[in-house]
Amino acid sequence: MSSIGPETLVRFQAGDMEAFRMIIEHYQEKIFRLGLRLFGQTDEAADFTQDAFLRIFEQRGRYDPKRPFENWLFKVVTNLGRDRLRRRREIPTNDEPPELAIEPQAEQEMLKRERNLRVRQALQKVKPKYREGLALRFGLDLNLQEMAQIQGISLGTVKSRMSRGLKAFHRAYQALGGE
Amino acid sequence: MRCSKVEKRLAEQELGILSPGKKEALDAHLAKCAACRQVAEEFKRSVMALSEGTDIDPPQDLVQRILRHAAREPEPSAPRYWWWIAPALVGAVIIMLVLYMPAFFGPRIHMTEQEVLAGYAENLEVLGFGNTEVYSEDNASDYEEFGIPPEVAKLLI
Ligand SMILES: [Zn+2]
């Protein structure tokens, strides 16, 4: 997948919808899957993805073209996710059944779906401030340094949150049956 | 090293932030503690599951949905939007006043639209009231000939 070029970014900043479409198409999967890890539910992840891109569109004037676009984008999206987690009154019940879009043919695939679901359920049991880090690290493949930048916290804080977060996730995941 | 420290060390190892000294202590502990070896196995599986991608794709119409919404949104920080909406609101208020003031201050409590119009034109026949013609945009200029402001004329079409 090619990345978004500078001329596309210039057009995007000028409000060009075609450029915006390219950006959405390029990043929607990542943002959606980040949303899945943060919120656990497909509906909410889709809602979050929509809000995230609208926020990006709205704030496009604030992006500094001299800096990496992806960092800016992830930062805006992470802040939005954090706000959303904060505003949520309670953690959803996690009773979402495994997705039934297409009946999985192979047993392997079914097992993977079950694992995916259990991961999302376990993440919901982890404190939001740890969950955010886990979602960025394992959903967006960011390294600890990038996370510090995007989350606006020190590298030391990232490290301690992440080791606590991993431990908390591990316990929650095993409590749900592990595998 | 105590068993209670093992999960923390495993997490640090996974993140690549475990110092060589601590790694050595962890390995030594795992070599002699079966329970913690079991924990380490499970930990590995937890992390693998967490790292594994998901099959779920975003909804197919998501891109369209976002673009539709974005097109509808006002220009972000451009003042242009408020630039016309404010006078439009003021205009709307003035029109309401023009239409309903006579109802409040006139001799009669209730006035029909036609009676309000009578304030603008003496002969309502000319305006088309009284016949069954359905008005089109073209009639706007007719109203204006009778001194009816275009904002009011719009309401009458
Ligand atoms: Zn032990």
Side-chain angles (χ1 to χ4, degrees):
Chain A
M1 217 201 276
S2 64
S3 72
I4 300 296
E7 66 293 330
T8 305
L9 291 175
V10 169
R11 284 193 291 128
F12 164 66
Q13 284 203 289
D16 182 315
M17 294 309 256
E18 205 36 52
F20 183 39
R21 176 203 292 276
M22 284 169 73
I23 289 171
I24 302 171
E25 281 173 352
H26 190 79
Y27 286 107
Q28 64 158 337
E29 233 168 66
K30 279 191 173 180
I31 309 294
F32 176 74
R33 287 171 184 176
L34 177 76
L36 271 180
R37 286 167 192 268
L38 288 176
F39 307 109
Q41 317 264 2
T42 47
D43 286 358
E44 196 166 1
D47 249 28
F48 167 71
T49 309
Q50 175 171 326
D51 287 355
F53 281 109
L54 291 176
R55 175 73 64 92
I56 287 159
F57 190 68
E58 219 175 82
Q59 299 198 348
R60 64 188 187 273
R62 294 199 205 165
Y63 164 62
D64 175 0
K66 286 182 293 243
R67 290 165 167 264
F69 176 68
E70 202 163 277
N71 268 29
W72 175 78
L73 182 140
F74 289 161
K75 201 167 187 165
V76 173
V77 170
T78 301
N79 284 334
L80 187 73
R82 194 179 296 169
D83 288 347
R84 202 183 174 105
L85 283 173
R86 229 175 257 151
R87 263 187 285 118
R88 263 172 151 201
R89 253 177 275 134
E90 54 187 5
I91 293 166
T93 49
N94 298 314
D95 53 4
E96 186 186 1
E99 270 67 27
L100 299 169
I102 304 157
E103 200 60 44
Q105 304 293 321
E107 199 190 340
Q108 284 299 317
E109 232 174 280
M110 203 171 71
L111 288 175
K112 186 180 174 191
R113 272 162 200 248
E114 281 171 14
R115 262 196 318 272
N116 279 180
L117 178 65
R118 215 174 305 128
V119 165
R120 283 187 278 137
Q121 290 174 334
L123 279 170
Q124 291 301 305
K125 307 215 181 287
V126 174
K127 279 187 189 165
K129 71 173 172 185
Y130 299 150
R131 194 190 313 158
E132 180 183 297
L134 294 173
L136 290 174
R137 175 93 177 86
F138 296 95
L140 293 184
D141 277 327
L142 299 181
N143 63 41
L144 303 182
Q145 198 81 51
E146 291 166 328
M147 287 171 60
Q149 249 183 31
I150 282 160
Q151 293 183 285
I153 53 181
S154 73
L155 184 58
T157 308
V158 173
K159 286 178 182 173
S160 77
R161 278 192 194 175
M162 284 301 287
S163 61
R164 284 172 200 202
L166 261 185
K167 183 175 155 182
F169 169 78
H170 162 68
R171 291 195 169 179
Y173 185 73
Q174 292 300 320
L176 287 166
E179 269 305 292
Chain B
M1 189 180 140
R2 272 189 250 140
C3 296
S4 58
K5 278 269 176 207
V6 165
E7 282 170 303
K8 184 163 190 265
R9 297 286 176 258
L10 288 169
E12 288 167 350
Q13 175 167 261
E14 180 52 46
L15 295 167
I17 56 173
L18 188 63
S19 68
K22 283 177 181 168
K23 172 151 177 52
E24 215 170 287
L26 174 66
D27 290 343
H29 182 90
L30 292 180
K32 64 178 168 57
C33 178
C36 283
R37 271 204 301 281
Q38 169 81 20
V39 170
E41 271 308 305
E42 287 166 1
F43 200 92
K44 208 184 284 171
R45 282 205 292 273
S46 297
V47 174
M48 263 171 59
L50 184 58
S51 316
E52 187 175 48
T54 163
D55 281 340
I56 307 171
D57 287 319
Q60 293 205 331
D61 65 338
L62 189 61
V63 178
Q64 281 312 316
R65 240 159 68 188
I66 296 167
L67 287 170
R68 252 199 326 270
H69 270 87
R72 240 186 282 143
E73 296 282 315
E75 280 291 296
S77 43
R80 238 180 286 158
Y81 182 67
W82 291 107
W83 212 75
W84 65 262
I85 197 105
L89 282 173
V90 171
V93 170
I94 291 172
I95 291 164
M96 294 306 281
L97 285 176
V98 166
L99 283 176
Y100 293 104
M101 276 294 244
F104 292 118
F105 299 106
R108 293 164 60 182
I109 290 167
H110 185 75
M111 286 175 85
T112 64
E113 207 168 48
Q114 293 194 16
E115 285 165 335
V116 173
L117 283 174
Y120 292 103
E122 304 231 308
N123 187 354
L124 289 177
E125 291 288 326
V126 182
L127 284 173
F129 289 96
N131 67 35
T132 55
E133 194 184 332
V134 175
Y135 287 91
S136 68
E137 301 271 13
D138 304 336
N139 293 98
S141 53
D142 295 343
Y143 290 123
E144 282 160 37
E145 279 172 28
F146 292 91
I148 296 174
E151 293 88 339
V152 176
K154 255 186 279 174
L155 298 175
L156 301 173
I157 295 166

